[in-house]
Amino acid sequence: MAGRGRGRGRGQMTFNVEAVGIGKGETLPPPTLQPPPLFPALDYKPVPLQTGEEVEYMLALKQELRGAMKSLPYYVKPAAPKKDIERYTDKYQVTGPVDNAIDWNPDWKRLPQELKIKVRKQQKEKPSVVIPRRMKNIRVDKEEIIKKLEIQLFYHQGSSGFHFQLSSRVSFFFFFFLVTSEDSGKEGRGSSIR
Amino acid sequence: MTQAEIKLCSLLLQEHFGEIVEKVGIHLIKTGSQPLRLIVSDTGTPLQQVKKALCVLIQHNFVTYHLHKRGFVEYEAHPSLVLRFLRYPRYIYNAKTLYGDIGELLVEEVLQNGNMQMSCVVKKVSDRLTETMEGKGKRRRSSDDDTEPQAKRKKQNQEDGECSPDDGVYWEVNFERFHQHFRDQAIVSAVASKLDQTSSEIVRTMLRMSEVTTSSNAQYTQPLSSNEIFRALPSGYNISKQVLDQYLTLLADDPMEFVCKTGDSGGGMFAINLHKALASLARATLESVVQERFGSRSARIFRLLLRKRHLEQKQVEDFAMIPAKEAKDMLYTLLSQNLVSLQELPKTPDHAPSRTFYLYTVKTLPTAYMLLQKCYKTIANLIERRQFETKENKRLLEKSQRIEAIIASMQATGAEEQQLQEIEEMITAPERQQLEDLRRNVNKLDASENQVDETMFILESYIATTHSKA
């Protein structure tokens, strides 16, 4: 029963072939043995694109929009990949988002609480952050230095105490000047990093 | 969601928001509503990144959240809104034609940011305007003259905010209203091309009058009396009442059936049949697709089947006046592409093949749906090709950008003509040619995307009205 019809009466179908329109003895197209080609040949070439002011303007709008979206804070850049070796440029170039904060300020009342993330505050100028600390350090240093100098003065008190005092004042000022210029030098370097 | 839609959404999200947002968004589209921890575990991205992505997606209204009855929050994505991305340039351009440059900038700002507070939008737009107008001094305008009902829709909560006076009131673009406008435009241009300018003006007047009275999914506009239409015609048109009546009768009798007469009071009540209008537009799109792909004779067979609904093989040959062999060939090609389907009509209860009728027919709704999926695939292909082309020439693009930057900085500091020329020569002639080719190809691909989107809009509107009718 399973083998009936095989070999005999090849090409018989379950329905009346004439009804669909294939006449008797007509050659059917060859059977398809492979998937259709990836770029089939086009019999009819496509109609050319529309042109005109409107079309040009919308094209420009589209490209502008694409470019603008890339620079908006909504574009979430992938996290910086883990580096294998510490590279020289890492000291001077900021690669990728530094922390898990977002740059825009959504209205947290309209988002579920579980999504709350830190919002990256506007970066202040680095030197202004750096200087107070360094000033404090230096002031502390200065205090120590002044103390040391006075201790030295005590030791070397003598007839030339007054001169020493003057010269110590001068050296103190000189030292102070050196210190501040060093500080501003550092400040200069800090601002060039930014 | 079909595969084609998902692929297109993935490409759009990746292009505009980056890969993390794309991963999270596609996962939500594929799996429906999910809570936060499931998203994190399934996509394998760290929690912070997922949170960032969700914030962005919710801001742009692609994802909404709701409280599950078990007490956790579930997030759900809406892919149809992601697909709207393709239409953003059209929205912006229409805002420009309707409301000028300021409207254009407003819509652009709101589209880029999802939803914003009015004070924010106004400030940004005024900043941009002052930038371009170089100190014409447009201060913070009150956008009262720009709060058209078309472009904005208010959000419900009105809470007392911290600093800005309108905190808690967010504005977003009303896409439905824009779509109504596009639909009206399509109908008016169809009437203009079939009949003439005056009748299209009449139809435009009727549509304008029913803008606010009909909802977006309505089948018919509200009936309008001929007297009302006469009064509402634009002042440039000096046609007499009689001529208007004649035009209206002509429109109502037209086989297109866009306008139908619903009564006789007030000089004749007329309504526009929106569903039929969209159906004919979709049908015309299908016919033109068949014509461009398979030739005008296949298109004749297709139109014949649309007209006569069900036909046998023999009848098709006779009515179309095409020799039997060719007609058969064309029918089978259309059948293999699923544009035409077979309907079996048995004569006897035992469906014997020799005793059944086999009728060819065109089913418009499934065919429109299939064509829509093909459009999605087309746009996905276009985007991929454009990205491929840009990636191939990345090195060259970067080089040209750097050189432009150098030239600009040198011009700012005042350089000699010769130095500028030397730098420009750093790009060789074949490289310049390559850049020019790249630019032309990318423009072509972008323009094709815009055009396919127009077809998509008509098909989507047709499917939407048919679903809401059924």
Side-chain angles (χ1 to χ4, degrees), chain A residues 143-172:
Chain A
E143 300 282 317
E144 284 179 11
I145 291 166
I146 292 171
K147 277 200 190 107
K148 276 191 203 154
L149 280 171
E150 289 189 352
I151 289 168
Q152 279 190 340
L153 268 177
F154 260 116
Y155 272 120
H156 299 286
Q157 275 289 344
S159 55
S160 49
F162 181 71
H163 294 292
F164 266 114
Q165 280 201 4
L166 253 182
S167 60
S168 73
R169 286 274 141 91
V170 165
S171 60
F172 170 68

PDB file of all heavy atoms in Angstrom, chain A residues 143-172:
ATOM      1  N   GLU A 143      53.099  76.542  58.765  1.00  0.00           N
ATOM      2  CA  GLU A 143      53.072  76.669  60.223  1.00  0.00           C
ATOM      3  C   GLU A 143      54.281  75.958  60.804  1.00  0.00           C
ATOM      4  O   GLU A 143      55.017  76.485  61.631  1.00  0.00           O
ATOM      5  CB  GLU A 143      51.796  76.027  60.796  1.00  0.00           C
ATOM      6  CG  GLU A 143      50.494  76.624  60.299  1.00  0.00           C
ATOM      7  CD  GLU A 143      50.197  77.939  61.005  1.00  0.00           C
ATOM      8  OE1 GLU A 143      50.388  78.019  62.218  1.00  0.00           O
ATOM      9  OE2 GLU A 143      49.800  78.884  60.311  1.00  0.00           O
ATOM     10  N   GLU A 144      54.455  74.716  60.291  1.00  0.00           N
ATOM     11  CA  GLU A 144      55.573  73.928  60.817  1.00  0.00           C
ATOM     12  C   GLU A 144      56.896  74.622  60.544  1.00  0.00           C
ATOM     13  O   GLU A 144      57.771  74.691  61.408  1.00  0.00           O
ATOM     14  CB  GLU A 144      55.592  72.547  60.161  1.00  0.00           C
ATOM     15  CG  GLU A 144      54.527  71.628  60.699  1.00  0.00           C
ATOM     16  CD  GLU A 144      54.566  70.287  60.011  1.00  0.00           C
ATOM     17  OE1 GLU A 144      55.538  70.007  59.288  1.00  0.00           O
ATOM     18  OE2 GLU A 144      53.606  69.531  60.197  1.00  0.00           O
ATOM     19  N   ILE A 145      56.999  75.142  59.331  1.00  0.00           N
ATOM     20  CA  ILE A 145      58.272  75.769  58.951  1.00  0.00           C
ATOM     21  C   ILE A 145      58.530  76.991  59.812  1.00  0.00           C
ATOM     22  O   ILE A 145      59.648  77.226  60.275  1.00  0.00           O
ATOM     23  CB  ILE A 145      58.250  76.135  57.460  1.00  0.00           C
ATOM     24  CG1 ILE A 145      58.274  74.844  56.634  1.00  0.00           C
ATOM     25  CG2 ILE A 145      59.432  77.004  57.101  1.00  0.00           C
ATOM     26  CD1 ILE A 145      57.930  75.037  55.216  1.00  0.00           C
ATOM     27  N   ILE A 146      57.447  77.781  60.039  1.00  0.00           N
ATOM     28  CA  ILE A 146      57.631  78.986  60.867  1.00  0.00           C
ATOM     29  C   ILE A 146      58.094  78.581  62.260  1.00  0.00           C
ATOM     30  O   ILE A 146      59.009  79.171  62.834  1.00  0.00           O
ATOM     31  CB  ILE A 146      56.317  79.795  60.934  1.00  0.00           C
ATOM     32  CG1 ILE A 146      55.994  80.387  59.553  1.00  0.00           C
ATOM     33  CG2 ILE A 146      56.433  80.904  61.960  1.00  0.00           C
ATOM     34  CD1 ILE A 146      54.642  80.990  59.475  1.00  0.00           C
ATOM     35  N   LYS A 147      57.461  77.509  62.760  1.00  0.00           N
ATOM     36  CA  LYS A 147      57.850  77.052  64.107  1.00  0.00           C
ATOM     37  C   LYS A 147      59.318  76.659  64.132  1.00  0.00           C
ATOM     38  O   LYS A 147      60.083  77.040  65.029  1.00  0.00           O
ATOM     39  CB  LYS A 147      56.991  75.847  64.510  1.00  0.00           C
ATOM     40  CG  LYS A 147      55.658  76.223  65.060  1.00  0.00           C
ATOM     41  CD  LYS A 147      55.032  75.089  65.880  1.00  0.00           C
ATOM     42  CE  LYS A 147      53.590  75.452  66.195  1.00  0.00           C
ATOM     43  NZ  LYS A 147      52.627  74.682  65.432  1.00  0.00           N
ATOM     44  N   LYS A 148      59.671  75.900  63.077  1.00  0.00           N
ATOM     45  CA  LYS A 148      61.081  75.448  63.016  1.00  0.00           C
ATOM     46  C   LYS A 148      62.034  76.631  62.985  1.00  0.00           C
ATOM     47  O   LYS A 148      63.054  76.663  63.696  1.00  0.00           O
ATOM     48  CB  LYS A 148      61.287  74.609  61.749  1.00  0.00           C
ATOM     49  CG  LYS A 148      60.908  73.156  61.903  1.00  0.00           C
ATOM     50  CD  LYS A 148      61.380  72.336  60.723  1.00  0.00           C
ATOM     51  CE  LYS A 148      60.527  71.094  60.647  1.00  0.00           C
ATOM     52  NZ  LYS A 148      60.457  70.569  59.307  1.00  0.00           N
ATOM     53  N   LEU A 149      61.641  77.618  62.147  1.00  0.00           N
ATOM     54  CA  LEU A 149      62.508  78.796  62.026  1.00  0.00           C
ATOM     55  C   LEU A 149      62.654  79.494  63.368  1.00  0.00           C
ATOM     56  O   LEU A 149      63.736  79.910  63.779  1.00  0.00           O
ATOM     57  CB  LEU A 149      61.936  79.767  60.991  1.00  0.00           C
ATOM     58  CG  LEU A 149      62.213  79.400  59.516  1.00  0.00           C
ATOM     59  CD1 LEU A 149      61.418  80.304  58.620  1.00  0.00           C
ATOM     60  CD2 LEU A 149      63.697  79.530  59.234  1.00  0.00           C
ATOM     61  N   GLU A 150      61.544  79.633  64.081  1.00  0.00           N
ATOM     62  CA  GLU A 150      61.587  80.353  65.355  1.00  0.00           C
ATOM     63  C   GLU A 150      62.414  79.592  66.373  1.00  0.00           C
ATOM     64  O   GLU A 150      63.144  80.188  67.163  1.00  0.00           O
ATOM     65  CB  GLU A 150      60.172  80.601  65.858  1.00  0.00           C
ATOM     66  CG  GLU A 150      59.465  81.644  64.996  1.00  0.00           C
ATOM     67  CD  GLU A 150      58.142  82.090  65.578  1.00  0.00           C
ATOM     68  OE1 GLU A 150      57.701  81.471  66.585  1.00  0.00           O
ATOM     69  OE2 GLU A 150      57.555  83.022  65.050  1.00  0.00           O
ATOM     70  N   ILE A 151      62.284  78.255  66.277  1.00  0.00           N
ATOM     71  CA  ILE A 151      63.111  77.455  67.175  1.00  0.00           C
ATOM     72  C   ILE A 151      64.579  77.706  66.873  1.00  0.00           C
ATOM     73  O   ILE A 151      65.400  77.910  67.772  1.00  0.00           O
ATOM     74  CB  ILE A 151      62.773  75.954  67.025  1.00  0.00           C
ATOM     75  CG1 ILE A 151      61.388  75.665  67.616  1.00  0.00           C
ATOM     76  CG2 ILE A 151      63.818  75.101  67.733  1.00  0.00           C
ATOM     77  CD1 ILE A 151      60.842  74.323  67.288  1.00  0.00           C
ATOM     78  N   GLN A 152      64.877  77.733  65.590  1.00  0.00           N
ATOM     79  CA  GLN A 152      66.260  78.010  65.195  1.00  0.00           C
ATOM     80  C   GLN A 152      66.708  79.375  65.681  1.00  0.00           C
ATOM     81  O   GLN A 152      67.835  79.553  66.139  1.00  0.00           O
ATOM     82  CB  GLN A 152      66.376  77.959  63.668  1.00  0.00           C
ATOM     83  CG  GLN A 152      66.499  76.541  63.137  1.00  0.00           C
ATOM     84  CD  GLN A 152      66.857  76.539  61.660  1.00  0.00           C
ATOM     85  OE1 GLN A 152      66.667  77.525  60.972  1.00  0.00           O
ATOM     86  NE2 GLN A 152      67.402  75.440  61.212  1.00  0.00           N
ATOM     87  N   LEU A 153      65.800  80.346  65.544  1.00  0.00           N
ATOM     88  CA  LEU A 153      66.110  81.699  65.998  1.00  0.00           C
ATOM     89  C   LEU A 153      66.499  81.710  67.467  1.00  0.00           C
ATOM     90  O   LEU A 153      67.460  82.342  67.864  1.00  0.00           O
ATOM     91  CB  LEU A 153      64.896  82.602  65.800  1.00  0.00           C
ATOM     92  CG  LEU A 153      64.828  83.363  64.482  1.00  0.00           C
ATOM     93  CD1 LEU A 153      63.543  84.133  64.414  1.00  0.00           C
ATOM     94  CD2 LEU A 153      66.010  84.305  64.385  1.00  0.00           C
ATOM     95  N   PHE A 154      65.687  80.986  68.252  1.00  0.00           N
ATOM     96  CA  PHE A 154      65.958  80.931  69.678  1.00  0.00           C
ATOM     97  C   PHE A 154      67.380  80.458  69.964  1.00  0.00           C
ATOM     98  O   PHE A 154      68.078  80.975  70.798  1.00  0.00           O
ATOM     99  CB  PHE A 154      64.966  79.975  70.372  1.00  0.00           C
ATOM    100  CG  PHE A 154      63.853  80.698  71.027  1.00  0.00           C
ATOM    101  CD1 PHE A 154      62.538  80.545  70.614  1.00  0.00           C
ATOM    102  CD2 PHE A 154      64.132  81.571  72.087  1.00  0.00           C
ATOM    103  CE1 PHE A 154      61.524  81.228  71.235  1.00  0.00           C
ATOM    104  CE2 PHE A 154      63.098  82.255  72.696  1.00  0.00           C
ATOM    105  CZ  PHE A 154      61.777  82.097  72.285  1.00  0.00           C
ATOM    106  N   TYR A 155      67.681  79.399  69.168  1.00  0.00           N
ATOM    107  CA  TYR A 155      69.014  78.842  69.371  1.00  0.00           C
ATOM    108  C   TYR A 155      70.117  79.837  69.057  1.00  0.00           C
ATOM    109  O   TYR A 155      71.095  79.954  69.761  1.00  0.00           O
ATOM    110  CB  TYR A 155      69.201  77.599  68.480  1.00  0.00           C
ATOM    111  CG  TYR A 155      68.742  76.337  69.139  1.00  0.00           C
ATOM    112  CD1 TYR A 155      67.744  75.555  68.582  1.00  0.00           C
ATOM    113  CD2 TYR A 155      69.302  75.951  70.360  1.00  0.00           C
ATOM    114  CE1 TYR A 155      67.325  74.404  69.199  1.00  0.00           C
ATOM    115  CE2 TYR A 155      68.877  74.796  70.974  1.00  0.00           C
ATOM    116  CZ  TYR A 155      67.888  74.029  70.386  1.00  0.00           C
ATOM    117  OH  TYR A 155      67.485  72.888  70.990  1.00  0.00           O
ATOM    118  N   HIS A 156      69.897  80.501  67.930  1.00  0.00           N
ATOM    119  CA  HIS A 156      70.951  81.405  67.470  1.00  0.00           C
ATOM    120  C   HIS A 156      70.735  82.839  67.918  1.00  0.00           C
ATOM    121  O   HIS A 156      71.186  83.772  67.292  1.00  0.00           O
ATOM    122  CB  HIS A 156      71.020  81.352  65.935  1.00  0.00           C
ATOM    123  CG  HIS A 156      71.340  79.980  65.430  1.00  0.00           C
ATOM    124  ND1 HIS A 156      72.590  79.452  65.524  1.00  0.00           N
ATOM    125  CD2 HIS A 156      70.540  79.026  64.895  1.00  0.00           C
ATOM    126  CE1 HIS A 156      72.560  78.235  65.024  1.00  0.00           C
ATOM    127  NE2 HIS A 156      71.324  77.942  64.640  1.00  0.00           N
ATOM    128  N   GLN A 157      69.979  82.979  69.046  1.00  0.00           N
ATOM    129  CA  GLN A 157      69.810  84.343  69.589  1.00  0.00           C
ATOM    130  C   GLN A 157      71.162  84.880  70.034  1.00  0.00           C
ATOM    131  O   GLN A 157      71.944  84.236  70.678  1.00  0.00           O
ATOM    132  CB  GLN A 157      68.928  84.281  70.855  1.00  0.00           C
ATOM    133  CG  GLN A 157      67.446  84.312  70.628  1.00  0.00           C
ATOM    134  CD  GLN A 157      66.907  85.644  70.165  1.00  0.00           C
ATOM    135  OE1 GLN A 157      67.586  86.660  70.278  1.00  0.00           O
ATOM    136  NE2 GLN A 157      65.708  85.641  69.628  1.00  0.00           N
ATOM    137  N   GLY A 158      71.325  86.083  69.596  1.00  0.00           N
ATOM    138  CA  GLY A 158      72.622  86.651  69.987  1.00  0.00           C
ATOM    139  C   GLY A 158      72.629  88.118  69.681  1.00  0.00           C
ATOM    140  O   GLY A 158      71.583  88.770  69.589  1.00  0.00           O
ATOM    141  N   SER A 159      73.795  88.673  69.528  1.00  0.00           N
ATOM    142  CA  SER A 159      73.865  90.090  69.214  1.00  0.00           C
ATOM    143  C   SER A 159      73.230  90.375  67.859  1.00  0.00           C
ATOM    144  O   SER A 159      72.609  91.413  67.645  1.00  0.00           O
ATOM    145  CB  SER A 159      75.329  90.569  69.209  1.00  0.00           C
ATOM    146  OG  SER A 159      76.070  89.758  68.299  1.00  0.00           O
ATOM    147  N   SER A 160      73.436  89.421  66.971  1.00  0.00           N
ATOM    148  CA  SER A 160      72.867  89.653  65.634  1.00  0.00           C
ATOM    149  C   SER A 160      71.442  89.118  65.530  1.00  0.00           C
ATOM    150  O   SER A 160      70.978  88.737  64.469  1.00  0.00           O
ATOM    151  CB  SER A 160      73.774  89.000  64.581  1.00  0.00           C
ATOM    152  OG  SER A 160      74.054  87.671  64.993  1.00  0.00           O
ATOM    153  N   GLY A 161      70.764  89.114  66.750  1.00  0.00           N
ATOM    154  CA  GLY A 161      69.391  88.603  66.718  1.00  0.00           C
ATOM    155  C   GLY A 161      68.527  89.386  65.767  1.00  0.00           C
ATOM    156  O   GLY A 161      67.735  88.881  65.003  1.00  0.00           O
ATOM    157  N   PHE A 162      68.676  90.722  65.835  1.00  0.00           N
ATOM    158  CA  PHE A 162      67.835  91.569  64.994  1.00  0.00           C
ATOM    159  C   PHE A 162      68.060  91.266  63.526  1.00  0.00           C
ATOM    160  O   PHE A 162      67.124  91.133  62.746  1.00  0.00           O
ATOM    161  CB  PHE A 162      68.152  93.034  65.319  1.00  0.00           C
ATOM    162  CG  PHE A 162      67.315  93.980  64.521  1.00  0.00           C
ATOM    163  CD1 PHE A 162      65.954  94.121  64.777  1.00  0.00           C
ATOM    164  CD2 PHE A 162      67.892  94.733  63.490  1.00  0.00           C
ATOM    165  CE1 PHE A 162      65.193  95.004  64.043  1.00  0.00           C
ATOM    166  CE2 PHE A 162      67.108  95.604  62.755  1.00  0.00           C
ATOM    167  CZ  PHE A 162      65.763  95.747  63.037  1.00  0.00           C
ATOM    168  N   HIS A 163      69.393  91.192  63.187  1.00  0.00           N
ATOM    169  CA  HIS A 163      69.692  90.886  61.786  1.00  0.00           C
ATOM    170  C   HIS A 163      69.116  89.538  61.381  1.00  0.00           C
ATOM    171  O   HIS A 163      68.558  89.372  60.309  1.00  0.00           O
ATOM    172  CB  HIS A 163      71.205  90.889  61.540  1.00  0.00           C
ATOM    173  CG  HIS A 163      71.798  92.256  61.714  1.00  0.00           C
ATOM    174  ND1 HIS A 163      71.534  93.301  60.863  1.00  0.00           N
ATOM    175  CD2 HIS A 163      72.624  92.759  62.678  1.00  0.00           C
ATOM    176  CE1 HIS A 163      72.171  94.385  61.268  1.00  0.00           C
ATOM    177  NE2 HIS A 163      72.832  94.088  62.375  1.00  0.00           N
ATOM    178  N   PHE A 164      69.267  88.596  62.314  1.00  0.00           N
ATOM    179  CA  PHE A 164      68.736  87.255  61.999  1.00  0.00           C
ATOM    180  C   PHE A 164      67.240  87.306  61.773  1.00  0.00           C
ATOM    181  O   PHE A 164      66.687  86.707  60.876  1.00  0.00           O
ATOM    182  CB  PHE A 164      69.056  86.296  63.146  1.00  0.00           C
ATOM    183  CG  PHE A 164      70.320  85.546  62.917  1.00  0.00           C
ATOM    184  CD1 PHE A 164      71.433  85.746  63.740  1.00  0.00           C
ATOM    185  CD2 PHE A 164      70.429  84.655  61.858  1.00  0.00           C
ATOM    186  CE1 PHE A 164      72.596  85.036  63.494  1.00  0.00           C
ATOM    187  CE2 PHE A 164      71.594  83.980  61.632  1.00  0.00           C
ATOM    188  CZ  PHE A 164      72.682  84.157  62.443  1.00  0.00           C
ATOM    189  N   GLN A 165      66.656  88.163  62.687  1.00  0.00           N
ATOM    190  CA  GLN A 165      65.188  88.249  62.547  1.00  0.00           C
ATOM    191  C   GLN A 165      64.823  88.787  61.181  1.00  0.00           C
ATOM    192  O   GLN A 165      63.969  88.272  60.492  1.00  0.00           O
ATOM    193  CB  GLN A 165      64.624  89.161  63.641  1.00  0.00           C
ATOM    194  CG  GLN A 165      64.502  88.459  64.958  1.00  0.00           C
ATOM    195  CD  GLN A 165      63.512  89.172  65.864  1.00  0.00           C
ATOM    196  OE1 GLN A 165      62.884  90.134  65.483  1.00  0.00           O
ATOM    197  NE2 GLN A 165      63.406  88.682  67.070  1.00  0.00           N
ATOM    198  N   LEU A 166      65.552  89.877  60.806  1.00  0.00           N
ATOM    199  CA  LEU A 166      65.289  90.448  59.483  1.00  0.00           C
ATOM    200  C   LEU A 166      65.505  89.400  58.391  1.00  0.00           C
ATOM    201  O   LEU A 166      64.657  89.165  57.555  1.00  0.00           O
ATOM    202  CB  LEU A 166      66.225  91.628  59.239  1.00  0.00           C
ATOM    203  CG  LEU A 166      65.614  93.022  59.279  1.00  0.00           C
ATOM    204  CD1 LEU A 166      66.655  94.071  58.964  1.00  0.00           C
ATOM    205  CD2 LEU A 166      64.436  93.151  58.333  1.00  0.00           C
ATOM    206  N   SER A 167      66.726  88.827  58.474  1.00  0.00           N
ATOM    207  CA  SER A 167      67.036  87.864  57.396  1.00  0.00           C
ATOM    208  C   SER A 167      66.065  86.682  57.427  1.00  0.00           C
ATOM    209  O   SER A 167      65.681  86.150  56.388  1.00  0.00           O
ATOM    210  CB  SER A 167      68.482  87.401  57.512  1.00  0.00           C
ATOM    211  OG  SER A 167      68.657  86.787  58.768  1.00  0.00           O
ATOM    212  N   SER A 168      65.670  86.305  58.664  1.00  0.00           N
ATOM    213  CA  SER A 168      64.715  85.183  58.714  1.00  0.00           C
ATOM    214  C   SER A 168      63.402  85.596  58.089  1.00  0.00           C
ATOM    215  O   SER A 168      62.755  84.829  57.404  1.00  0.00           O
ATOM    216  CB  SER A 168      64.514  84.716  60.157  1.00  0.00           C
ATOM    217  OG  SER A 168      63.739  85.679  60.856  1.00  0.00           O
ATOM    218  N   ARG A 169      63.056  86.921  58.333  1.00  0.00           N
ATOM    219  CA  ARG A 169      61.833  87.414  57.691  1.00  0.00           C
ATOM    220  C   ARG A 169      61.963  87.338  56.181  1.00  0.00           C
ATOM    221  O   ARG A 169      61.070  86.897  55.479  1.00  0.00           O
ATOM    222  CB  ARG A 169      61.571  88.893  58.021  1.00  0.00           C
ATOM    223  CG  ARG A 169      61.088  89.210  59.343  1.00  0.00           C
ATOM    224  CD  ARG A 169      59.576  89.128  59.527  1.00  0.00           C
ATOM    225  NE  ARG A 169      59.370  88.555  60.865  1.00  0.00           N
ATOM    226  CZ  ARG A 169      59.247  89.258  61.967  1.00  0.00           C
ATOM    227  NH1 ARG A 169      59.229  90.569  61.930  1.00  0.00           N
ATOM    228  NH2 ARG A 169      59.175  88.674  63.126  1.00  0.00           N
ATOM    229  N   VAL A 170      63.159  87.808  55.719  1.00  0.00           N
ATOM    230  CA  VAL A 170      63.384  87.806  54.272  1.00  0.00           C
ATOM    231  C   VAL A 170      63.310  86.379  53.752  1.00  0.00           C
ATOM    232  O   VAL A 170      62.639  86.093  52.761  1.00  0.00           O
ATOM    233  CB  VAL A 170      64.762  88.443  53.948  1.00  0.00           C
ATOM    234  CG1 VAL A 170      65.166  88.124  52.517  1.00  0.00           C
ATOM    235  CG2 VAL A 170      64.683  89.940  54.151  1.00  0.00           C
ATOM    236  N   SER A 171      64.040  85.486  54.465  1.00  0.00           N
ATOM    237  CA  SER A 171      64.037  84.097  53.977  1.00  0.00           C
ATOM    238  C   SER A 171      62.637  83.507  54.056  1.00  0.00           C
ATOM    239  O   SER A 171      62.227  82.721  53.212  1.00  0.00           O
ATOM    240  CB  SER A 171      65.031  83.257  54.760  1.00  0.00           C
ATOM    241  OG  SER A 171      64.667  83.280  56.120  1.00  0.00           O
ATOM    242  N   PHE A 172      61.924  83.942  55.098  1.00  0.00           N
ATOM    243  CA  PHE A 172      60.544  83.441  55.218  1.00  0.00           C
ATOM    244  C   PHE A 172      59.717  83.883  54.016  1.00  0.00           C
ATOM    245  O   PHE A 172      59.011  83.111  53.403  1.00  0.00           O
ATOM    246  CB  PHE A 172      59.940  83.960  56.526  1.00  0.00           C
ATOM    247  CG  PHE A 172      58.471  83.702  56.619  1.00  0.00           C
ATOM    248  CD1 PHE A 172      57.991  82.411  56.744  1.00  0.00           C
ATOM    249  CD2 PHE A 172      57.555  84.759  56.552  1.00  0.00           C
ATOM    250  CE1 PHE A 172      56.629  82.189  56.837  1.00  0.00           C
ATOM    251  CE2 PHE A 172      56.201  84.513  56.640  1.00  0.00           C
ATOM    252  CZ  PHE A 172      55.732  83.231  56.794  1.00  0.00           C
TER     253      PHE A 172
END
